[in-house]
Amino acid sequence: MKIPKRLQPLVDDGLVDEVIRQMMSGKEATVYMVRSGGELRCAKVYKEADKRSFKKAVQYQEGRKVRSGRRARAMEKGTRYGREQQEETWQNAEVSALYRLAAAGVRVPEPFGCVDGVLLMELVTDSDGDVAPRLSEITMSSQQAITDHGLLMREVVRMLCAGLVHGDLSEFNVLQDASGPVIIDLPQAVDASANNHAEFMLERDVQKITEYYAQFAPELLDTRFGKEIWALYEAGNLHPDVPLSGYFAEDLQKADVAQVLDVISYALSEEEERQQRRRDAEESD
């Protein structure tokens, strides 16, 4: 195929030998299958900020550290330089998260670096060597749903033990390879200890994944893994092999109405983006 403009510098530098085809185009990036070093890999080309439909970047960037004071001030003021640095920080966040999570034993694609807004990483494949499908594209038995849901809960634990929350986990950013679920799309991953929205995001991640698997195993709707995992984390008792029950005793104290309304507003916005992601996925097929 014709080499996309954003990939041409990588071809010129010998980082990419051949661009084979476009795999998908989503709300934040377009992904291509490429040949690099004699192997098939993915090249994720991030879209520019004004072309992305991901709308809540500020909430995800809370707690991210910027080493240079000049960069931090520029980003806060929203100058042209600041916006450029914010974009670089957003893109590099996924690379950093992938390396960090891979080291913690989380099932994510192996990263090979990010150059000029293009992330090179492992191409995840199924047992036949074909591109692994998204979770949203497969059906399964009740038993497989329960097993794979359990595997993903364990991945959520490992991520939190590494200090990160995915922040946008759903059936659209989990691939299914020969060994089970593989988590992808991490530019919005948040620091669990530095982001005030981390608890809500983790519980939402778990809820969305649970609702998906519950299509095949409805009993999963009775579980409360998100609250259980966060409670263990807050108590300092979370570790990669901690036993999980899926049950949690709710605190029945008086609700914070303002917070509840905030969560409802957030959920409505999330559903709008979820529908957009579904349309993007259908258009790329």
Side-chain angles (χ1 to χ4, degrees):
M1 65 172 287
K2 182 179 179 181
I3 299 174
K5 183 178 179 181
R6 295 280 301 280
L7 289 178
Q8 188 63 56
L10 280 76
V11 174
D12 295 341
D13 292 342
L15 297 173
V16 169
D17 304 321
E18 178 187 4
V19 180
I20 299 174
R21 65 179 176 89
Q22 177 178 312
M23 295 173 61
M24 62 85 66
S25 181
K27 64 183 182 181
E28 66 189 32
T30 301
V31 181
Y32 297 89
M33 180 189 294
V34 301
R35 193 176 303 280
S36 175
E39 296 183 359
L40 291 179
R41 292 178 179 171
C42 287
K44 182 174 184 177
V45 181
Y46 292 99
K47 294 182 178 179
E48 297 175 2
D50 59 349
K51 296 179 181 178
R52 287 200 308 257
S53 60
F54 199 83
K55 301 173 183 176
K56 294 180 285 299
V58 173
Q59 291 167 314
Y60 287 89
Q61 291 173 351
E62 178 183 304
R64 291 184 178 176
K65 297 178 181 179
V66 179
R67 293 181 181 178
S68 167
R70 175 172 174 257
R71 290 176 63 188
R73 289 191 296 273
M75 289 166 65
E76 184 177 345
K77 292 179 181 178
T79 64
R80 180 178 178 180
Y81 172 74
R83 291 193 298 272
E84 290 174 353
Q85 295 305 306
Q86 194 168 50
E87 278 302 288
E88 183 179 341
T89 300
W90 177 263
Q91 294 165 9
N92 288 339
E94 180 160 29
V95 185
S96 299
L98 285 171
Y99 279 113
R100 187 170 172 180
L101 294 176
V106 180
R107 301 197 75 226
V108 294
E110 179 183 359
F112 299 110
C114 188
V115 181
D116 295 331
V118 179
L119 170 60
L120 280 176
M121 57 184 170
E122 172 191 5
L123 177 68
V124 181
T125 58
D126 61 17
S127 57
D128 296 322
D130 297 323
V131 176
R134 287 172 292 210
L135 194 57
S136 61
E137 298 169 340
I138 65 175
T139 59
M140 64 192 76
S141 67
S142 174
Q143 185 54 55
Q144 183 185 349
I146 292 171
T147 297
D148 286 358
H149 177 268
L151 291 174
L152 266 180
M153 293 304 99
R154 188 55 57 188
E155 296 301 293
V156 169
V157 168
R158 290 195 183 99
M159 288 182 69
L160 191 52
C161 287
L164 293 177
V165 174
H166 187 287
D168 191 32
L169 194 61
S170 76
E171 66 270 26
F172 297 104
N173 44 38
V174 175
L175 301 179
Q176 188 82 359
D177 74 2
S179 301
V182 178
I183 296 173
I184 62 172
D185 292 342
L186 289 147
Q188 74 293 317
V190 302
D191 187 317
S193 63
N195 191 301
N196 291 322
H197 305 281
E199 178 181 0
F200 170 71
M201 289 180 183
L202 180 130
E203 291 186 14
R204 185 190 59 198
D205 281 353
V206 171
Q207 179 181 351
K208 286 196 293 186
I209 282 296
T210 298
E211 288 175 350
Y212 176 77
Y213 281 112
Q215 296 177 87
F216 311 102
E219 59 267 38
L220 289 172
L221 291 175
D222 295 328
T223 62
R224 296 293 181 269
F225 282 101
K227 290 185 178 297
E228 179 186 14
I229 291 169
W230 189 263
L232 289 167
Y233 171 73
E234 280 197 320
N237 296 324
L238 192 71
H239 58 82
D241 300 314
V242 66
L244 297 175
S245 68
Y247 297 97
F248 183 78
E250 296 282 358
D251 185 353
L252 300 179
Q253 66 181 2
K254 187 176 180 180
D256 183 332
V257 176
Q259 184 179 31
V260 171
L261 292 175
D262 205 28
V263 169
I264 292 173
S265 176
Y266 203 91
L268 289 172
S269 180
E270 278 297 311
E271 180 59 23
E272 179 184 344
E273 288 194 6
R274 182 185 178 87
Q275 293 301 324
Q276 182 61 50
R277 171 163 284 195
R278 185 181 295 277
R279 288 192 290 271
D280 290 341
E282 291 173 350
E283 290 174 3
S284 66
D285 290 340

